[in-house]
Amino acid sequence: MAEQSVLVVEDTDEIRELVRTVLTRAGMDVRAVGTGAEALAEVRRSAPDVVVLDLGLPDADGTEVCRQIRAESECYVLMLTARAEEVDLLIGLAVGADGYMSKPFSPRELVARVQVMLRRPRVAPAPEAPAAAEDAVRRLAELEVDEDSREVRVDGAVVDLTRTEFDLLAALASRPGRVLQRETLLREVWQTDWEGSVRLVEAHMSNLRRKLQAAGLSSPEIKTVRGVGYRLVA
Ligand code: CA
């Protein structure tokens, strides 16, 4: 298997070198840059699997860089913030990052978080036997969730979702009608029990809902079970 590539975007030299070193030691192919413009150029050039992105960059707002990366790439984005409070702000802005860490962070935890992202499905797996491919498509009223191509269709038309949004919907669609707790979704989609991440589930769920509504989906519907979680009901 090809080495998995990570792009580190951080303007503070010591932090950038620290992150580069710990990720390289963990066996990843790491590139590191210090500005938003270099980050976008590098994403276009080398298509990294994960981008570790500092919020405070000298030439650009990290949230805007994140949005642009999102628009052009399928990579996962782990955002680094200067303060824990910024995480709430970012989640509110729904910039579409797949995870957040606030500084100072533990290098070991950073490596663990990136490794989890690299283990998540990145490309559609090669189709297996026809029977298995058949099973991989779930049809619920107007909605189709295709685990093989990682596509979601509403009345046959493909909806453009991020991979995190796809994983959330696939988790709900695998157990229609059942309430999935936010903590369960965190474990299944993000593979973490990280405290405070429940807001991350809510933010991505609200983006997912908005996209499905815009695609004209009326059934099934993602229902919120207040204080508990979500379920998909026809
Ligand atoms: Ca910075």
Side-chain angles (χ1 to χ4, degrees):
M1 201 168 87
E3 241 185 353
Q4 297 187 296
S5 62
V6 181
L7 173 64
V8 179
V9 188
E10 166 67 66
D11 60 305
T12 306
D13 295 348
E14 306 86 80
I15 300 178
R16 188 178 60 247
E17 289 315 308
L18 170 71
V19 173
R20 187 215 291 268
T21 304
V22 294
L23 294 178
T24 303
R25 275 195 201 136
M28 299 165 201
D29 172 21
V30 185
R31 282 162 214 279
V33 296
T35 65
E38 288 172 297
L40 288 170
E42 192 57 37
V43 163
R44 286 168 196 147
R45 203 182 65 75
S46 67
D49 300 304
V50 171
V51 178
V52 177
L53 177 64
D54 181 31
L55 176 66
L57 294 169
D59 65 325
D61 179 347
T63 60
E64 203 37 55
V65 177
C66 182
R67 279 202 187 93
Q68 287 194 44
I69 290 174
R70 265 277 160 271
E72 299 183 17
S73 162
E74 287 285 287
C75 64
Y76 289 112
V77 179
L78 176 62
M79 207 111 196
L80 299 179
T81 70
R83 296 185 308 278
E85 306 87 75
E86 284 177 344
V87 171
D88 274 355
L89 177 72
L90 284 171
I91 289 173
L93 288 173
V95 295
D98 300 288
Y100 303 90
M101 287 192 86
S102 46
K103 298 173 188 171
F105 51 83
S106 132
R108 194 189 300 168
E109 195 190 338
L110 176 84
V111 170
R113 301 274 305 271
V114 172
Q115 280 170 333
V116 163
M117 288 178 166
L118 290 172
R119 278 200 300 270
R120 286 170 60 182
R122 291 178 302 130
V123 288
E128 292 163 23
E134 195 59 35
D135 288 342
V137 182
R138 283 176 209 285
R139 293 183 181 83
L140 301 158
E142 301 156 12
L143 182 71
E144 268 180 20
V145 179
D146 187 334
E147 300 256 12
D148 266 346
S149 63
R150 293 181 60 80
E151 267 181 1
V152 166
R153 294 179 284 270
V154 171
D155 283 332
V158 174
V159 186
D160 186 24
L161 299 181
T162 67
R163 291 188 299 174
T164 293
E165 290 159 1
F166 177 88
D167 289 340
L168 276 176
L169 184 59
L172 289 172
S174 69
R175 282 147 291 181
R178 254 187 63 186
V179 179
L180 295 191
Q181 296 188 346
R182 288 171 301 194
E183 291 77 6
T184 305
L185 290 166
L186 256 185
R187 274 196 305 277
E188 290 188 9
V189 175
W190 281 267
Q191 297 170 29
T192 179
D193 290 321
W194 181 48
E195 223 178 300
S197 307
V198 163
R199 293 281 311 278
L200 205 56
V201 178
E202 292 167 0
H204 283 275
M205 196 63 87
S206 103
N207 291 344
L208 170 62
R209 253 195 195 129
R210 188 168 33 74
K211 287 186 184 178
L212 292 175
Q213 276 167 8
L217 182 70
S218 54
S219 173
E221 224 184 319
I222 299 172
K223 296 265 194 205
T224 303
V225 183
R226 197 169 290 279
V228 183
Y230 303 90
R231 65 192 186 120
L232 200 59
V233 286

PDB file of all heavy atoms in Angstrom, residues 51 69 81 87 97 101 110 121-123 125 144 155 163 165 167 172-173 175 177 189 203 205 211 221 228:
ATOM      1  N   VAL A  51      -5.144  16.796   5.907  1.00  0.00           N
ATOM      2  CA  VAL A  51      -4.494  18.097   6.078  1.00  0.00           C
ATOM      3  C   VAL A  51      -4.646  18.512   7.540  1.00  0.00           C
ATOM      4  O   VAL A  51      -5.762  18.529   8.067  1.00  0.00           O
ATOM      5  CB  VAL A  51      -5.116  19.178   5.162  1.00  0.00           C
ATOM      6  CG1 VAL A  51      -4.450  20.535   5.410  1.00  0.00           C
ATOM      7  CG2 VAL A  51      -4.987  18.793   3.698  1.00  0.00           C
ATOM      8  N   ILE A  69     -10.264  24.013   0.521  1.00  0.00           N
ATOM      9  CA  ILE A  69      -9.761  22.635   0.426  1.00  0.00           C
ATOM     10  C   ILE A  69     -10.956  21.695   0.255  1.00  0.00           C
ATOM     11  O   ILE A  69     -10.949  20.793  -0.575  1.00  0.00           O
ATOM     12  CB  ILE A  69      -8.941  22.265   1.690  1.00  0.00           C
ATOM     13  CG1 ILE A  69      -7.632  23.037   1.708  1.00  0.00           C
ATOM     14  CG2 ILE A  69      -8.687  20.764   1.750  1.00  0.00           C
ATOM     15  CD1 ILE A  69      -6.810  22.843   2.984  1.00  0.00           C
ATOM     16  N   THR A  81      -6.417  24.870  16.611  1.00  0.00           N
ATOM     17  CA  THR A  81      -6.859  26.191  17.048  1.00  0.00           C
ATOM     18  C   THR A  81      -6.007  26.656  18.219  1.00  0.00           C
ATOM     19  O   THR A  81      -5.436  25.843  18.941  1.00  0.00           O
ATOM     20  CB  THR A  81      -8.339  26.160  17.499  1.00  0.00           C
ATOM     21  OG1 THR A  81      -8.417  25.436  18.712  1.00  0.00           O
ATOM     22  CG2 THR A  81      -9.208  25.503  16.450  1.00  0.00           C
ATOM     23  N   VAL A  87     -12.960  26.359  19.119  1.00  0.00           N
ATOM     24  CA  VAL A  87     -13.580  25.165  18.554  1.00  0.00           C
ATOM     25  C   VAL A  87     -15.096  25.374  18.421  1.00  0.00           C
ATOM     26  O   VAL A  87     -15.693  25.074  17.392  1.00  0.00           O
ATOM     27  CB  VAL A  87     -13.258  23.918  19.404  1.00  0.00           C
ATOM     28  CG1 VAL A  87     -14.070  22.727  18.934  1.00  0.00           C
ATOM     29  CG2 VAL A  87     -11.775  23.602  19.318  1.00  0.00           C
ATOM     30  N   ALA A  97     -14.582  21.118   8.776  1.00  0.00           N
ATOM     31  CA  ALA A  97     -13.412  20.344   9.207  1.00  0.00           C
ATOM     32  C   ALA A  97     -13.902  19.034   9.821  1.00  0.00           C
ATOM     33  O   ALA A  97     -14.994  18.973  10.381  1.00  0.00           O
ATOM     34  CB  ALA A  97     -12.600  21.138  10.221  1.00  0.00           C
ATOM     35  N   MET A 101      -8.368  20.259  17.138  1.00  0.00           N
ATOM     36  CA  MET A 101      -7.546  20.121  18.338  1.00  0.00           C
ATOM     37  C   MET A 101      -7.118  21.508  18.737  1.00  0.00           C
ATOM     38  O   MET A 101      -6.765  22.324  17.887  1.00  0.00           O
ATOM     39  CB  MET A 101      -6.280  19.310  18.039  1.00  0.00           C
ATOM     40  CG  MET A 101      -6.546  17.848  17.841  1.00  0.00           C
ATOM     41  SD  MET A 101      -4.992  16.926  17.849  1.00  0.00           S
ATOM     42  CE  MET A 101      -4.797  16.669  19.609  1.00  0.00           C
ATOM     43  N   LEU A 110      -2.298  13.907  18.715  1.00  0.00           N
ATOM     44  CA  LEU A 110      -2.385  14.359  17.322  1.00  0.00           C
ATOM     45  C   LEU A 110      -2.130  13.194  16.361  1.00  0.00           C
ATOM     46  O   LEU A 110      -2.881  12.985  15.410  1.00  0.00           O
ATOM     47  CB  LEU A 110      -1.370  15.487  17.072  1.00  0.00           C
ATOM     48  CG  LEU A 110      -1.331  15.952  15.612  1.00  0.00           C
ATOM     49  CD1 LEU A 110      -2.416  16.980  15.334  1.00  0.00           C
ATOM     50  CD2 LEU A 110       0.011  16.515  15.229  1.00  0.00           C
ATOM     51  N   PRO A 121     -12.537   5.033   5.484  1.00  0.00           N
ATOM     52  CA  PRO A 121     -12.556   4.745   4.042  1.00  0.00           C
ATOM     53  C   PRO A 121     -12.239   5.991   3.240  1.00  0.00           C
ATOM     54  O   PRO A 121     -12.746   7.062   3.536  1.00  0.00           O
ATOM     55  CB  PRO A 121     -13.997   4.306   3.787  1.00  0.00           C
ATOM     56  CG  PRO A 121     -14.583   4.029   5.105  1.00  0.00           C
ATOM     57  CD  PRO A 121     -13.818   4.816   6.123  1.00  0.00           C
ATOM     58  N   ARG A 122     -11.364   5.831   2.256  1.00  0.00           N
ATOM     59  CA  ARG A 122     -10.944   6.990   1.480  1.00  0.00           C
ATOM     60  C   ARG A 122     -11.443   6.944   0.046  1.00  0.00           C
ATOM     61  O   ARG A 122     -11.777   7.933  -0.549  1.00  0.00           O
ATOM     62  CB  ARG A 122      -9.428   7.135   1.509  1.00  0.00           C
ATOM     63  CG  ARG A 122      -8.952   7.517   2.889  1.00  0.00           C
ATOM     64  CD  ARG A 122      -7.463   7.619   2.960  1.00  0.00           C
ATOM     65  NE  ARG A 122      -6.848   6.378   2.573  1.00  0.00           N
ATOM     66  CZ  ARG A 122      -5.876   6.294   1.681  1.00  0.00           C
ATOM     67  NH1 ARG A 122      -5.455   7.380   1.084  1.00  0.00           N
ATOM     68  NH2 ARG A 122      -5.350   5.149   1.389  1.00  0.00           N
ATOM     69  N   VAL A 123     -11.439   5.752  -0.527  1.00  0.00           N
ATOM     70  CA  VAL A 123     -11.956   5.635  -1.888  1.00  0.00           C
ATOM     71  C   VAL A 123     -12.956   4.491  -1.909  1.00  0.00           C
ATOM     72  O   VAL A 123     -12.963   3.660  -1.023  1.00  0.00           O
ATOM     73  CB  VAL A 123     -10.828   5.325  -2.900  1.00  0.00           C
ATOM     74  CG1 VAL A 123      -9.946   6.537  -3.112  1.00  0.00           C
ATOM     75  CG2 VAL A 123     -10.011   4.145  -2.431  1.00  0.00           C
ATOM     76  N   PRO A 125     -14.256   1.074  -2.380  1.00  0.00           N
ATOM     77  CA  PRO A 125     -13.554  -0.195  -2.552  1.00  0.00           C
ATOM     78  C   PRO A 125     -13.944  -0.847  -3.867  1.00  0.00           C
ATOM     79  O   PRO A 125     -15.015  -0.571  -4.409  1.00  0.00           O
ATOM     80  CB  PRO A 125     -14.026  -1.030  -1.359  1.00  0.00           C
ATOM     81  CG  PRO A 125     -15.278  -0.378  -0.871  1.00  0.00           C
ATOM     82  CD  PRO A 125     -15.228   1.057  -1.298  1.00  0.00           C
ATOM     83  N   GLU A 144     -31.188   6.611  -1.581  1.00  0.00           N
ATOM     84  CA  GLU A 144     -30.324   5.461  -1.827  1.00  0.00           C
ATOM     85  C   GLU A 144     -28.957   5.758  -1.261  1.00  0.00           C
ATOM     86  O   GLU A 144     -28.371   6.804  -1.559  1.00  0.00           O
ATOM     87  CB  GLU A 144     -30.146   5.233  -3.332  1.00  0.00           C
ATOM     88  CG  GLU A 144     -31.144   4.288  -3.930  1.00  0.00           C
ATOM     89  CD  GLU A 144     -30.898   4.125  -5.427  1.00  0.00           C
ATOM     90  OE1 GLU A 144     -29.778   4.433  -5.890  1.00  0.00           O
ATOM     91  OE2 GLU A 144     -31.840   3.722  -6.106  1.00  0.00           O
ATOM     92  N   ASP A 155     -34.017  10.382  -5.218  1.00  0.00           N
ATOM     93  CA  ASP A 155     -34.758  10.179  -6.461  1.00  0.00           C
ATOM     94  C   ASP A 155     -33.812   9.988  -7.648  1.00  0.00           C
ATOM     95  O   ASP A 155     -34.030  10.527  -8.731  1.00  0.00           O
ATOM     96  CB  ASP A 155     -35.705  11.359  -6.743  1.00  0.00           C
ATOM     97  CG  ASP A 155     -36.955  11.264  -5.870  1.00  0.00           C
ATOM     98  OD1 ASP A 155     -37.341  10.129  -5.506  1.00  0.00           O
ATOM     99  OD2 ASP A 155     -37.529  12.318  -5.555  1.00  0.00           O
ATOM    100  N   ARG A 163     -17.161  13.269   3.049  1.00  0.00           N
ATOM    101  CA  ARG A 163     -17.070  11.881   3.495  1.00  0.00           C
ATOM    102  C   ARG A 163     -17.609  11.699   4.909  1.00  0.00           C
ATOM    103  O   ARG A 163     -18.193  10.680   5.229  1.00  0.00           O
ATOM    104  CB  ARG A 163     -15.637  11.407   3.372  1.00  0.00           C
ATOM    105  CG  ARG A 163     -15.303  11.294   1.888  1.00  0.00           C
ATOM    106  CD  ARG A 163     -14.006  10.672   1.661  1.00  0.00           C
ATOM    107  NE  ARG A 163     -12.974  11.467   2.280  1.00  0.00           N
ATOM    108  CZ  ARG A 163     -11.726  11.098   2.336  1.00  0.00           C
ATOM    109  NH1 ARG A 163     -11.371   9.943   1.851  1.00  0.00           N
ATOM    110  NH2 ARG A 163     -10.838  11.873   2.875  1.00  0.00           N
ATOM    111  N   GLU A 165     -20.091  13.433   6.186  1.00  0.00           N
ATOM    112  CA  GLU A 165     -21.554  13.441   6.043  1.00  0.00           C
ATOM    113  C   GLU A 165     -22.046  12.096   5.512  1.00  0.00           C
ATOM    114  O   GLU A 165     -23.064  11.564   5.973  1.00  0.00           O
ATOM    115  CB  GLU A 165     -21.985  14.578   5.105  1.00  0.00           C
ATOM    116  CG  GLU A 165     -21.782  15.964   5.715  1.00  0.00           C
ATOM    117  CD  GLU A 165     -21.711  17.093   4.682  1.00  0.00           C
ATOM    118  OE1 GLU A 165     -21.841  16.831   3.467  1.00  0.00           O
ATOM    119  OE2 GLU A 165     -21.484  18.242   5.095  1.00  0.00           O
ATOM    120  N   ASP A 167     -20.602   9.159   5.900  1.00  0.00           N
ATOM    121  CA  ASP A 167     -20.482   8.152   6.961  1.00  0.00           C
ATOM    122  C   ASP A 167     -21.605   8.273   7.985  1.00  0.00           C
ATOM    123  O   ASP A 167     -22.116   7.273   8.482  1.00  0.00           O
ATOM    124  CB  ASP A 167     -19.122   8.277   7.657  1.00  0.00           C
ATOM    125  CG  ASP A 167     -17.975   7.805   6.761  1.00  0.00           C
ATOM    126  OD1 ASP A 167     -18.232   7.053   5.799  1.00  0.00           O
ATOM    127  OD2 ASP A 167     -16.823   8.191   7.029  1.00  0.00           O
ATOM    128  N   LEU A 172     -26.801   5.916   9.969  1.00  0.00           N
ATOM    129  CA  LEU A 172     -28.246   5.997  10.247  1.00  0.00           C
ATOM    130  C   LEU A 172     -29.028   5.042   9.346  1.00  0.00           C
ATOM    131  O   LEU A 172     -29.950   4.358   9.787  1.00  0.00           O
ATOM    132  CB  LEU A 172     -28.754   7.430  10.013  1.00  0.00           C
ATOM    133  CG  LEU A 172     -28.321   8.486  11.027  1.00  0.00           C
ATOM    134  CD1 LEU A 172     -28.748   9.868  10.537  1.00  0.00           C
ATOM    135  CD2 LEU A 172     -28.929   8.210  12.397  1.00  0.00           C
ATOM    136  N   ALA A 173     -28.633   4.992   8.068  1.00  0.00           N
ATOM    137  CA  ALA A 173     -29.379   4.184   7.101  1.00  0.00           C
ATOM    138  C   ALA A 173     -29.196   2.683   7.350  1.00  0.00           C
ATOM    139  O   ALA A 173     -30.018   1.876   6.926  1.00  0.00           O
ATOM    140  CB  ALA A 173     -28.939   4.532   5.675  1.00  0.00           C
ATOM    141  N   ARG A 175     -29.452   1.297  10.145  1.00  0.00           N
ATOM    142  CA  ARG A 175     -30.402   0.913  11.197  1.00  0.00           C
ATOM    143  C   ARG A 175     -31.614   1.841  11.176  1.00  0.00           C
ATOM    144  O   ARG A 175     -31.841   2.589  12.129  1.00  0.00           O
ATOM    145  CB  ARG A 175     -29.719   0.971  12.571  1.00  0.00           C
ATOM    146  CG  ARG A 175     -28.826  -0.229  12.851  1.00  0.00           C
ATOM    147  CD  ARG A 175     -27.637   0.119  13.703  1.00  0.00           C
ATOM    148  NE  ARG A 175     -26.683   0.956  12.977  1.00  0.00           N
ATOM    149  CZ  ARG A 175     -25.532   1.393  13.493  1.00  0.00           C
ATOM    150  NH1 ARG A 175     -25.211   1.102  14.723  1.00  0.00           N
ATOM    151  NH2 ARG A 175     -24.713   2.128  12.776  1.00  0.00           N
ATOM    152  N   GLY A 177     -34.962   3.744  11.594  1.00  0.00           N
ATOM    153  CA  GLY A 177     -35.949   3.723  12.667  1.00  0.00           C
ATOM    154  C   GLY A 177     -35.335   3.704  14.049  1.00  0.00           C
ATOM    155  O   GLY A 177     -35.958   4.120  15.022  1.00  0.00           O
ATOM    156  N   VAL A 189     -18.178   6.915  13.455  1.00  0.00           N
ATOM    157  CA  VAL A 189     -17.726   7.748  12.331  1.00  0.00           C
ATOM    158  C   VAL A 189     -16.340   8.339  12.610  1.00  0.00           C
ATOM    159  O   VAL A 189     -15.471   8.330  11.753  1.00  0.00           O
ATOM    160  CB  VAL A 189     -18.759   8.853  12.031  1.00  0.00           C
ATOM    161  CG1 VAL A 189     -18.249   9.807  10.960  1.00  0.00           C
ATOM    162  CG2 VAL A 189     -20.087   8.223  11.596  1.00  0.00           C
ATOM    163  N   ALA A 203     -22.950  19.548  14.302  1.00  0.00           N
ATOM    164  CA  ALA A 203     -22.629  20.456  13.191  1.00  0.00           C
ATOM    165  C   ALA A 203     -22.672  19.719  11.849  1.00  0.00           C
ATOM    166  O   ALA A 203     -23.259  20.206  10.882  1.00  0.00           O
ATOM    167  CB  ALA A 203     -21.254  21.073  13.400  1.00  0.00           C
ATOM    168  N   MET A 205     -24.233  16.940  11.233  1.00  0.00           N
ATOM    169  CA  MET A 205     -25.594  16.472  10.990  1.00  0.00           C
ATOM    170  C   MET A 205     -26.439  17.606  10.413  1.00  0.00           C
ATOM    171  O   MET A 205     -27.259  17.386   9.526  1.00  0.00           O
ATOM    172  CB  MET A 205     -26.205  15.970  12.314  1.00  0.00           C
ATOM    173  CG  MET A 205     -27.435  15.139  12.141  1.00  0.00           C
ATOM    174  SD  MET A 205     -27.131  13.593  11.234  1.00  0.00           S
ATOM    175  CE  MET A 205     -26.634  12.500  12.559  1.00  0.00           C
ATOM    176  N   LYS A 211     -28.242  19.691   3.139  1.00  0.00           N
ATOM    177  CA  LYS A 211     -27.979  19.220   1.776  1.00  0.00           C
ATOM    178  C   LYS A 211     -29.063  18.272   1.288  1.00  0.00           C
ATOM    179  O   LYS A 211     -29.446  18.312   0.118  1.00  0.00           O
ATOM    180  CB  LYS A 211     -26.615  18.524   1.718  1.00  0.00           C
ATOM    181  CG  LYS A 211     -25.455  19.486   1.812  1.00  0.00           C
ATOM    182  CD  LYS A 211     -24.140  18.757   1.609  1.00  0.00           C
ATOM    183  CE  LYS A 211     -22.955  19.686   1.798  1.00  0.00           C
ATOM    184  NZ  LYS A 211     -21.676  18.983   1.648  1.00  0.00           N
ATOM    185  N   GLU A 221     -36.668  10.932   6.779  1.00  0.00           N
ATOM    186  CA  GLU A 221     -36.250  12.178   7.401  1.00  0.00           C
ATOM    187  C   GLU A 221     -35.314  11.868   8.564  1.00  0.00           C
ATOM    188  O   GLU A 221     -35.516  10.864   9.259  1.00  0.00           O
ATOM    189  CB  GLU A 221     -37.508  12.839   7.964  1.00  0.00           C
ATOM    190  CG  GLU A 221     -37.625  14.311   7.709  1.00  0.00           C
ATOM    191  CD  GLU A 221     -38.863  14.854   8.416  1.00  0.00           C
ATOM    192  OE1 GLU A 221     -39.922  14.188   8.393  1.00  0.00           O
ATOM    193  OE2 GLU A 221     -38.738  15.917   9.019  1.00  0.00           O
ATOM    194  N   VAL A 228     -30.462  13.053  23.010  1.00  0.00           N
ATOM    195  CA  VAL A 228     -30.033  11.657  22.854  1.00  0.00           C
ATOM    196  C   VAL A 228     -29.263  11.462  21.550  1.00  0.00           C
ATOM    197  O   VAL A 228     -28.078  11.116  21.557  1.00  0.00           O
ATOM    198  CB  VAL A 228     -31.247  10.679  22.891  1.00  0.00           C
ATOM    199  CG1 VAL A 228     -30.743   9.248  22.799  1.00  0.00           C
ATOM    200  CG2 VAL A 228     -32.054  10.881  24.167  1.00  0.00           C
TER     201      VAL A 228
END
